[in-house]
Amino acid sequence: MQKLGFHDKWNRLIMKCVSTVSYKIRVNNEYTKTISPGRGLRQGDPLSPYLFVIYAEALSMALHAAEAARRIMGVKICKQAPSLTHLFFADDSLLYCY
């Protein structure tokens, strides 16, 4: 996110949200001990869709730059068509390059 121009304070805040999370599970009306995950985001985390969009944008910019520098080549459906290097969907990424 730093390469995208986000301020260091914002980056630290996001990393704090990602790295300091803990959970308790309710079983038979009683909470379990605190569970601290070992790594980053988990499925269902409300922050993950936003971070995906931000990082997908960074990856898209990097792929466009690599294509412009001729380090990768996109796929064309015909000679006049623009080249296609990637497609991003809600939670999927497809890369088309060689």
Side-chain angles (χ1 to χ4, degrees):
M1 289 185 1
Q2 186 176 11
K3 287 186 178 183
L4 289 174
F6 285 88
H7 194 275
D8 287 337
K9 189 173 183 179
W10 174 259
N11 294 337
R12 284 193 302 272
L13 178 63
I14 294 297
M15 287 310 297
K16 194 170 191 175
C17 289
V18 171
S19 61
T20 61
V21 68
S22 62
Y23 302 100
K24 284 188 176 186
I25 300 170
R26 193 171 181 176
V27 178
N28 296 329
N29 288 331
E30 292 184 22
Y31 287 100
T32 63
K33 294 180 182 178
T34 301
I35 302 168
S36 297
R39 299 182 190 203
L41 296 172
R42 295 288 181 245
Q43 184 176 358
D45 191 310
L47 191 58
S48 62
Y50 302 106
L51 290 178
F52 176 83
V53 170
I54 291 169
Y55 287 115
E57 180 64 23
L59 178 58
S60 178
M61 290 170 30
L63 289 169
H64 283 298
E67 184 180 29
R70 298 190 166 271
R71 290 189 305 246
I72 63 172
M73 292 175 44
V75 175
K76 290 185 175 190
I77 58 171
C78 68
K79 288 184 179 185
Q80 294 82 19
S83 63
L84 179 68
T85 57
H86 60 283
L87 292 173
F88 293 140
F89 298 101
D91 59 355
D92 290 318
S93 304
L94 299 172
L95 301 178
Y96 301 99
C97 52
Y98 59 96

